[in-house]
C-alpha cells in the first residue's frame, strides 16, 4: 500500500510516517526539503510533486501539514491580518491543492482513502472562545472534507476528518493530554477503518464521533 503523508518533519506527521513504515507500507512523507519536498501553499510545488508521482497509485493520502499561528493571541491586539492568510493558505487551501494534485493517483488505486487532520477546535458546538484563526481554518477544512466526501463517493474514494487529540508536540505544547504515540496509534486504526460506509465522518483519534 502506498501512503502519502504531508508535513512529516516532526510531531504527528513524523509519527504516522514511522508507524506505517514499521508495518511495511510504502510511505512517502513530505517536508519542505528532502527526498519528497512539498510546500502545500505553493501550486508550483504541487505540480512538481504530482509529476514526480505520475502514474503511481496512492492508496491513502493523509493531509496532516498545518500551522497554529495565533496561539496565545488576545482579542484587540492579536490576530494580525496576514496570519489569517498564512493559516488558511496552509490549513485549508493547502489541503485542497494536495487532494486536487493527487486525484489521478487516488483514482488509479482501488478504494483509495483521504484522511484530513482537523481538530476538535473546528466544532461549532465546542466554542469556548479564542484562537480565532486556527479555529476558523480547522472548521473550514472540516467543511472541505465533508464536501469532498460527497463529490468523491461516486469514485469509491472515502474521506475522513479527524481530531488527533490534544497532543504533546511543538504545536500542542507540553500541557497536551496525550503523547504522540497514543495519537498515532489511534489515528492509524481510524484510517484502517475508514470506508465508503463511513465517508464524511468526523472522529476523534480514539474512535468517537465528534460533534460538528
Amino acid at each position: 500500500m502506498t501512503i502519502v503523508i504531508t508535513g512529516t518533519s516532526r510531531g504527528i506527521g513524523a509519527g504516522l510516517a514511522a508507524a506505517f513504515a514499521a508495518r511495511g507500507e510504502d510511505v512517502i512523507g513530505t517536508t519542505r526539503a528532502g527526498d519528497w519536498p512539498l510546500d502545500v501553499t505553493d501550486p508550483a510545488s504541487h505540480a512538481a510533486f504530482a509529476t514526480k508521482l505520475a502514474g503511481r497509485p496512492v492508496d491513502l493520502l493523509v493531509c496532516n501539514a498545518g500551522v497554529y499561528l495565533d496561539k496565545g493571541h488576545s482579542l484587540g491586539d492579536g490576530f494580525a491580518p496576514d496570519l489569517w492568510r498564512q493559516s488558511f493558505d496552509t490549513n485549508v487551501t493547502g489541503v485542497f491543492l494536495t487532494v486536487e494534485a493527487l486525484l489521478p493517483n487516488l483514482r488509479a488505486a482501488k478504494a483509495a482513502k483521504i484522511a484530513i487532520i482537523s481538530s476538535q477546535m473546528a466544532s461549532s458546538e465546542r466554542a469556548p472562545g479564542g484562537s480565532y484563526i486556527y479555529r476558523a481554518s480547522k472548521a473550514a477544512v472540516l467543511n472541505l472534507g465533508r464536501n469532498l466526501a460527497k463529490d468523491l463517493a461516486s469514485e469509491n474514494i472515502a474521506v475522513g476528518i479527524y481530531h488527533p487529540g490534544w497532543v504533546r508536540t511543538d504545536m500542542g505544547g507540553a500541557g497536551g493530554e496525550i503523547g504522540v504515540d497514543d495519537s498515532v496509534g489511534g489515528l492509524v486504526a481510524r484510517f484502517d477503518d475508514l470506508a465508503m460506509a463511513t465517508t464524511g465522518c468526523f472522529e476523534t483519534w480514539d474512535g468517537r464521533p465528534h460533534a460538528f
Side-chain angles (χ1 to χ4, degrees):
M1 184 165 72
T2 297
I3 301 171
V4 173
I5 307 170
T6 64
T8 59
S9 61
R10 58 184 179 176
I12 295 170
L16 286 170
F20 279 118
R23 74 180 201 183
E25 310 293 2
D26 181 12
V27 178
I28 297 170
T30 77
T31 58
R32 287 179 178 261
D35 292 339
W36 294 101
L38 177 64
D39 177 351
V40 298
T41 70
D42 181 6
S45 183
H46 281 286
F49 184 63
T51 297
K52 196 171 180 180
L53 277 177
R56 188 168 178 177
V58 170
D59 301 282
L60 171 63
L61 168 60
V62 182
C63 296
N64 167 75
V67 294
Y68 185 179
L69 303 180
D70 61 323
K71 188 176 183 179
H73 283 220
S74 299
L75 189 61
D77 61 2
F79 309 104
D82 193 53
L83 296 185
W84 287 87
R85 178 191 60 77
Q86 293 178 49
S87 298
F88 272 73
D89 280 354
T90 300
N91 295 351
V92 187
T93 310
V95 172
F96 180 79
L97 292 177
T98 303
V99 171
E100 191 172 51
L102 295 185
L103 263 181
N105 308 83
L106 293 162
R107 286 167 170 157
K110 293 183 178 178
K113 306 178 186 182
I114 300 170
I116 296 173
I117 303 301
S118 179
S119 170
Q120 66 182 5
M121 294 169 76
S123 173
S124 61
E125 294 187 23
R126 185 185 185 280
S131 298
Y132 297 107
I133 300 174
Y134 185 74
R135 290 184 193 280
S137 69
K138 288 301 185 179
V141 83
L142 168 59
N143 182 275
L144 172 63
R146 294 275 289 172
N147 282 282
L148 284 170
K150 285 289 187 182
D151 284 339
L152 295 175
S154 63
E155 301 190 56
N156 202 36
I157 298 174
V159 182
I161 307 99
Y162 302 94
H163 165 55
W166 182 12
V167 188
R168 291 185 292 273
T169 61
D170 290 344
M171 182 183 290
E177 297 174 341
I178 61 173
V180 171
D181 288 346
D182 291 326
S183 176
V184 165
L187 289 172
V188 167
R190 303 288 75 72
F191 304 164
D192 285 345
D193 288 344
L194 178 61
M196 292 309 302
T198 56
T199 191
C201 64
F202 181 29
E203 295 179 344
T204 63
W205 63 278
D206 54 353
R208 291 173 289 125
H210 202 293
F212 294 100

